[in-house]
Amino acid sequence: MRCAVLGAGDDGLRCAIRLAALGHRVVVADRDAGRIGRLRGDAPDRTAFAAERMKAWKQYADNDLLLFTVNVSYAVRHAEAVVYALPLSNDASGSGEGTELSSAEGQAGRILEELGPNLGKARIVAVHTAVRAGTCGRLAQSLQERYGPSVQLWMIPPLSDPLHPYDPSSRLTRRIVIGVPEAVRAEEQLSALFPLGRRRLRITDVRTAELLQIAFDRWIQARGEWAEAMSEQCRNEGVALSDLLGELRFVAERFRT
């Protein structure tokens, strides 16, 4: 399939490589010309992180399975499936105030704005970014009103695995969570976009997939806050945090058994 991934950040690139590894022709679109230039190799990027990314996707780019552009409308117009992976808010799961993107309506409106007036051949719009609760429901309704029932909204939660961020053979690629409308579960479009077999896909509804991402984001936030609090406490007590973590792992194993 011809796929467009909107957003050349970590989640977008990870998804693009995953799709290219499955044999799809993927166009990654981002209006940040500097970022696209670095991905193409037209602009210098001295970070080791960029070198790792280039090694991971070069084989697909060399075979024209992975392309980069700043022309978002071109990518959308020629795609059969569009993946939206642009960040929507710094507080997607919290209670941010003061901006349109602090609401589900604002986030759905931003996605529609980025998609533009013409989806072309696209019959699948997949959200692959952190959203507020209710964003996908409002977006699905707007897509129905604008394009009719032929365009389906999916949710692919960008649950990240820091150990294998760009490795197509990692467990992150072998196991994919997808939220789809009830009416299209196990239909041919799922098999066409992700020809992995049903055992390697975790299929759920769109709302559950949306809540799964929100829960994951909140868990990451709580884990970070706990780590900061314990680091400060250990400093005050003159105890090494690594020693405390070792004891906690021992206790956890005792409870497990």
Side-chain angles (χ1 to χ4, degrees):
M1 293 179 68
R2 294 175 63 93
C3 303
V5 175
L6 308 188
D10 291 345
D11 291 330
L13 292 174
R14 186 180 293 112
C15 182
I17 291 172
R18 178 183 289 151
L19 291 171
L22 293 172
H24 302 300
R25 191 168 187 267
V26 185
V27 178
V28 179
D30 197 302
R31 292 193 173 91
D32 186 333
R35 174 175 289 175
I36 292 297
R38 288 189 291 274
L39 294 171
R40 287 172 171 167
D42 300 335
D45 193 326
R46 299 177 178 85
T47 65
F49 187 53
E52 283 298 311
R53 288 187 297 190
M54 288 301 295
K55 183 169 65 175
W57 67 62
K58 184 171 171 40
Q59 57 179 314
Y60 306 117
D62 289 346
N63 293 320
D64 290 332
L65 290 176
L66 194 56
L67 306 172
F68 302 98
T69 182
V70 295
N71 192 334
V72 174
S73 61
Y74 166 82
V76 170
R77 191 167 58 250
H78 292 84
E80 297 169 80
V82 178
V83 178
Y84 188 93
L86 291 163
L88 289 170
S89 171
N90 292 328
D91 185 25
S93 61
S95 56
E97 300 179 334
T99 68
E100 61 170 0
L101 297 188
S102 66
S103 68
E105 294 91 340
Q107 291 188 346
R110 172 61 63 83
I111 295 174
L112 281 175
E113 179 184 340
E114 294 285 354
L115 292 175
N118 182 16
L119 277 180
K121 302 176 182 178
R123 292 296 172 264
I124 298 169
V125 173
V127 175
H128 187 61
T129 189
V131 296
R132 291 186 62 83
T135 294
C136 287
R138 295 186 181 277
L139 180 58
Q141 181 180 354
S142 298
L143 288 173
Q144 291 265 323
E145 293 171 354
R146 181 178 291 187
Y147 301 109
S150 61
V151 177
Q152 302 167 6
L153 177 71
W154 295 10
M155 175 65 182
I156 307 175
L159 308 177
S160 60
D161 184 334
L163 297 179
H164 305 285
Y166 297 103
D167 180 4
S169 66
S170 75
R171 66 181 176 85
L172 186 64
T173 301
R174 297 197 302 267
R175 187 75 167 173
I176 301 174
V177 178
I178 305 176
V180 297
E182 292 280 353
V184 299
R185 287 195 187 191
E187 293 294 329
E188 59 184 23
Q189 285 162 315
L190 266 173
S191 300
L193 191 58
F194 293 106
L196 298 170
R198 289 302 294 266
R199 268 197 239 169
R200 294 166 73 181
L201 298 176
R202 179 67 176 176
I203 310 300
T204 184
D205 60 274
V206 174
R207 177 169 173 76
T208 299
E210 179 184 70
L211 291 174
L212 178 63
Q213 179 61 47
I214 292 171
F216 180 81
D217 290 340
R218 288 186 176 176
W219 176 76
I220 290 293
Q221 180 182 6
R223 188 177 68 170
E225 292 172 353
W226 178 87
E228 289 180 8
M230 290 312 302
S231 294
E232 182 178 357
Q233 185 70 35
C234 287
R235 283 195 300 270
N236 294 339
E237 300 292 336
V239 176
L241 179 60
S242 58
D243 293 341
L244 176 63
L245 292 177
E247 295 299 326
L248 285 173
R249 278 192 290 269
F250 173 76
V251 172
E253 288 297 328
R254 291 290 300 273
F255 274 111
R256 188 178 301 174
T257 57

